[in-house]
Amino acid sequence: MFEYFYHQILRKTVIAFGTLFNDISIKHTNSSDAVVSTIKVPLAYGPTQKFLARLEQSPDLNKSTQITLPRMSFEFTGITYDPSRKVTTTQQFTVKDSNSETVTKKSYMPVPIICNLN
């Protein structure tokens, strides 16, 4: 029987991508190139359909808001197998157990994948 184990690699990939673009800010300058204001751009993870549905549900787009900011979002659009990085299926690597310094675990090489984030 096969043993199931999930390393949360897809979740960690989404978190790493979001962290990479999390600190984007826009700086407004005057004519002498002095910074007048800085606006942090919020980043959200979610499908584009979610934001489009929100716009469709609100027919009055001219409604006043407290503050208007630029906004960025990204989503997980696909996962594909990458045969160019494939190694032999019997190749193993060893990892030390985080709970014990003397115990090592063996694991087979993971399947190479390409994650598409937009």
Side-chain angles (χ1 to χ4, degrees):
M1 195 100 193
F2 292 106
E3 182 180 332
Y4 174 77
F5 185 76
Y6 175 54
H7 290 284
Q8 297 182 344
I9 193 69
L10 299 178
R11 180 179 179 271
K12 291 176 183 178
T13 302
V14 170
I15 290 171
F17 187 84
T19 304
L20 192 69
F21 294 100
N22 197 22
D23 293 326
I24 294 177
S25 60
I26 296 174
K27 294 182 180 180
H28 294 280
T29 59
N30 59 13
S31 59
S32 62
D33 290 336
V35 176
V36 177
S37 66
T38 304
I39 299 173
K40 185 173 163 76
V41 179
L43 180 68
Y45 173 72
T48 310
Q49 291 83 9
K50 178 181 174 182
F51 297 108
L52 292 177
R54 169 95 166 95
L55 291 174
E56 289 174 359
Q57 288 176 359
S58 177
D60 185 19
L61 296 178
N62 297 327
K63 190 167 98 177
S64 62
T65 58
Q66 285 184 337
I67 189 168
T68 304
L69 292 174
R71 187 166 186 86
M72 288 177 42
S73 69
F74 69 99
E75 66 176 319
F76 198 93
T77 57
I79 181 169
T80 55
Y81 172 69
D82 188 11
S84 65
R85 294 186 294 151
K86 184 180 184 317
V87 294
T88 60
T89 55
T90 57
Q91 188 174 353
Q92 294 182 351
F93 62 94
T94 57
V95 179
K96 286 188 178 181
D97 190 7
S98 60
N99 298 332
S100 174
E101 294 181 10
T102 59
V103 177
T104 58
K105 295 181 178 181
K106 288 187 177 182
S107 180
Y108 289 102
M109 294 302 275
V111 175
I113 58 172
I114 298 172
C115 296
N116 300 324
L117 293 164
N118 290 336

